[in-house]
Amino acid sequence: MIIAVDGPAASGKGTIARALAHRYRLPHLDTGLLYRAVAATVLQHDLDPAIEADAVASCGFDDMLLGDPELRTDRVGQVASIVSAHPLVRAALLQRQRRFARQPGGAVLDGRDIGTVIAPEAEVKLFVKATPTIRARRRHAELQARGGTQSFDRVLADIRARDQRDAQRTAAPLVQAPDAVLLDTSFLSIDAAVQKAIDLVEAKRRGAA
Ligand code: CDP
Ligand code: CDP
């Protein structure tokens, strides 16, 4: 079983994907980390992500970087959404994600284009959303817990900018797959959102049986 979980920043897709992976004993890949690793490498090499597309696409990254907490920062997230708009960058990361999705026994992947590009054949596709204000509140709380000092307004502006870039790019934009089920977590606790996701997976499995 392949489970594809897509959605915008701080919608709760990672939390849901991890919980589903645990529940169904499937391996999980947070594909945003791959783009964040490219972004961190671009920052290390002082490249301009907006113009040096070829250099950005070919710079790759060290897998050790994937565990680096620095990847979670907002700065890296913003640059990730710039580098991820380059078709060459997406192409460089495609096979790795497809291989992960198609491993025997299945997998859970979360990102922006899992149900549309990486694994259009996925048995279960969830599109997770929440209002921008609620997502910004969640991200702001996370940043504060890590000692960050950004204002709520700044976090909200960053989320809106990233949403716009991710949804308007030509290469694999953030869009709900026609066969994805919408899960709005705006007014759901984490437990309630996870339970809803499990119910949706179970309904799909019953439908397929
Ligand atoms: O966790 P959050 O939703 O804030 O971000 P993320 O999933 O780590 O993704 C960071 C950026 O990578 C996003 O803003 C997208 O531009 C890009 N991304 C993508 O283009 N395709 C994916 N499958 C995953 C992430
Ligand atoms: O992966 P994505 O960026 O979509 O979001 P996440 O990392 O799963 O969730 C972002 C933050 O919102 C985390 O701190 C979650 O604990 C929190 N969250 C929440 O408060 N309520 C939910 N229903 C889901 C997530």
Short mmCIF file of all heavy atoms in Angstrom, two decimals, residues 8-16 18 110 138-139 142 185 188-190 193, ligand 2:
data_model
loop_
_atom_site.label_atom_id
_atom_site.label_comp_id
_atom_site.label_asym_id
_atom_site.label_seq_id
_atom_site.Cartn_x
_atom_site.Cartn_y
_atom_site.Cartn_z
N PRO A 8 -0.08 22.00 2.08
CA PRO A 8 0.80 23.14 2.29
C PRO A 8 1.52 23.09 3.65
O PRO A 8 1.27 22.20 4.45
CB PRO A 8 -0.17 24.33 2.23
CG PRO A 8 -1.49 23.78 2.64
CD PRO A 8 -1.50 22.34 2.21
N ALA A 9 2.41 24.06 3.86
CA ALA A 9 3.23 24.13 5.07
C ALA A 9 2.36 24.14 6.33
O ALA A 9 1.38 24.89 6.41
CB ALA A 9 4.09 25.39 5.03
N ALA A 10 2.75 23.32 7.30
CA ALA A 10 2.12 23.28 8.63
C ALA A 10 0.64 22.90 8.60
O ALA A 10 -0.11 23.21 9.52
CB ALA A 10 2.32 24.61 9.38
N SER A 11 0.23 22.19 7.55
CA SER A 11 -1.15 21.71 7.49
C SER A 11 -1.34 20.51 8.42
O SER A 11 -2.46 20.15 8.77
CB SER A 11 -1.53 21.33 6.06
OG SER A 11 -0.60 20.40 5.54
N GLY A 12 -0.21 19.87 8.78
CA GLY A 12 -0.28 18.69 9.63
C GLY A 12 0.03 17.41 8.88
O GLY A 12 -0.10 16.32 9.41
N LYS A 13 0.50 17.55 7.62
CA LYS A 13 0.71 16.35 6.79
C LYS A 13 1.82 15.45 7.34
O LYS A 13 1.71 14.23 7.28
CB LYS A 13 0.98 16.74 5.33
CG LYS A 13 2.23 17.56 5.14
CD LYS A 13 2.36 18.04 3.72
CE LYS A 13 3.60 18.93 3.61
NZ LYS A 13 3.62 20.08 4.57
N GLY A 14 2.88 16.06 7.89
CA GLY A 14 3.99 15.26 8.42
C GLY A 14 3.55 14.45 9.62
O GLY A 14 3.86 13.27 9.74
N THR A 15 2.80 15.10 10.51
CA THR A 15 2.30 14.43 11.72
C THR A 15 1.41 13.26 11.32
O THR A 15 1.52 12.15 11.87
CB THR A 15 1.49 15.45 12.56
OG1 THR A 15 2.33 16.59 12.82
CG2 THR A 15 1.01 14.85 13.86
N ILE A 16 0.54 13.50 10.34
CA ILE A 16 -0.38 12.45 9.89
C ILE A 16 0.39 11.32 9.20
O ILE A 16 0.16 10.14 9.46
CB ILE A 16 -1.45 13.05 8.96
CG1 ILE A 16 -2.43 13.88 9.80
CG2 ILE A 16 -2.18 11.98 8.15
CD1 ILE A 16 -3.41 14.70 9.00
N ARG A 18 3.52 10.41 9.58
CA ARG A 18 4.29 9.62 10.56
C ARG A 18 3.37 8.66 11.33
O ARG A 18 3.71 7.50 11.56
CB ARG A 18 5.01 10.56 11.56
CG ARG A 18 6.34 11.08 11.04
CD ARG A 18 7.15 11.73 12.16
NE ARG A 18 6.41 12.81 12.82
CZ ARG A 18 6.34 14.05 12.36
NH1 ARG A 18 6.98 14.40 11.26
NH2 ARG A 18 5.65 14.97 13.01
N ASP A 110 5.18 12.07 2.35
CA ASP A 110 4.45 13.33 2.41
C ASP A 110 5.23 14.43 1.71
O ASP A 110 6.45 14.40 1.65
CB ASP A 110 4.08 13.70 3.85
CG ASP A 110 5.25 14.16 4.70
OD1 ASP A 110 5.91 13.30 5.32
OD2 ASP A 110 5.50 15.37 4.78
N ARG A 138 0.47 27.49 14.29
CA ARG A 138 1.20 26.25 14.62
C ARG A 138 2.70 26.43 14.43
O ARG A 138 3.50 26.02 15.27
CB ARG A 138 0.72 25.10 13.72
CG ARG A 138 -0.70 24.68 13.99
CD ARG A 138 -1.11 23.67 12.94
NE ARG A 138 -2.48 23.22 13.14
CZ ARG A 138 -3.18 22.53 12.25
NH1 ARG A 138 -2.61 22.18 11.11
NH2 ARG A 138 -4.41 22.17 12.51
N ARG A 139 3.08 27.00 13.26
CA ARG A 139 4.51 27.19 12.97
C ARG A 139 5.15 28.14 13.97
O ARG A 139 6.25 27.93 14.45
CB ARG A 139 4.65 27.76 11.58
CG ARG A 139 5.46 27.13 10.47
CD ARG A 139 6.55 26.22 10.74
NE ARG A 139 6.22 24.80 10.64
CZ ARG A 139 6.19 24.10 9.51
NH1 ARG A 139 6.49 24.63 8.38
NH2 ARG A 139 5.89 22.82 9.54
N GLU A 142 5.82 26.40 17.15
CA GLU A 142 6.99 25.52 17.02
C GLU A 142 8.28 26.32 17.12
O GLU A 142 9.23 25.93 17.78
CB GLU A 142 6.98 24.83 15.65
CG GLU A 142 6.09 23.63 15.54
CD GLU A 142 6.18 23.01 14.15
OE1 GLU A 142 6.34 23.73 13.15
OE2 GLU A 142 6.08 21.79 14.06
N THR A 185 -7.66 20.11 8.65
CA THR A 185 -7.29 19.92 10.06
C THR A 185 -7.44 21.21 10.87
O THR A 185 -7.05 21.26 12.04
CB THR A 185 -5.82 19.44 10.21
OG1 THR A 185 -4.94 20.50 9.80
CG2 THR A 185 -5.54 18.21 9.37
N LEU A 188 -9.16 20.57 14.08
CA LEU A 188 -8.98 19.22 14.63
C LEU A 188 -7.73 19.18 15.50
O LEU A 188 -6.70 19.77 15.14
CB LEU A 188 -8.81 18.20 13.50
CG LEU A 188 -10.01 17.96 12.56
CD1 LEU A 188 -9.62 16.93 11.50
CD2 LEU A 188 -11.23 17.49 13.35
N SER A 189 -7.83 18.47 16.63
CA SER A 189 -6.62 18.22 17.43
C SER A 189 -5.76 17.24 16.62
O SER A 189 -6.24 16.64 15.65
CB SER A 189 -7.00 17.58 18.77
OG SER A 189 -7.52 16.29 18.51
N ILE A 190 -4.52 17.06 17.05
CA ILE A 190 -3.65 16.11 16.35
C ILE A 190 -4.28 14.71 16.38
O ILE A 190 -4.38 14.04 15.35
CB ILE A 190 -2.24 16.08 16.98
CG1 ILE A 190 -1.54 17.41 16.70
CG2 ILE A 190 -1.42 14.91 16.45
CD1 ILE A 190 -0.20 17.57 17.34
N ALA A 193 -7.20 14.50 14.00
CA ALA A 193 -6.77 14.51 12.59
C ALA A 193 -6.21 13.14 12.21
O ALA A 193 -6.52 12.60 11.13
CB ALA A 193 -5.72 15.59 12.37
O1 CDP B 2 4.26 18.56 7.86
P1 CDP B 2 3.54 19.88 7.95
O2 CDP B 2 4.42 21.05 7.74
O3 CDP B 2 2.31 19.93 7.09
O4 CDP B 2 2.96 20.02 9.43
P2 CDP B 2 3.36 19.25 10.77
O5 CDP B 2 4.83 19.38 11.01
O6 CDP B 2 2.76 17.89 10.80
O7 CDP B 2 2.55 20.13 11.83
C1 CDP B 2 2.92 21.46 12.10
C2 CDP B 2 2.66 21.75 13.57
O8 CDP B 2 1.25 21.77 13.80
C3 CDP B 2 3.24 20.70 14.52
O9 CDP B 2 3.76 21.37 15.65
C4 CDP B 2 2.05 19.87 14.89
O10 CDP B 2 2.17 19.32 16.18
C5 CDP B 2 0.93 20.89 14.87
N1 CDP B 2 -0.39 20.31 14.55
C6 CDP B 2 -1.49 20.72 15.23
O11 CDP B 2 -1.37 21.55 16.11
N2 CDP B 2 -2.74 20.20 14.95
C7 CDP B 2 -2.91 19.31 13.99
N3 CDP B 2 -4.13 18.81 13.72
C8 CDP B 2 -1.78 18.89 13.24
C9 CDP B 2 -0.52 19.42 13.54
#
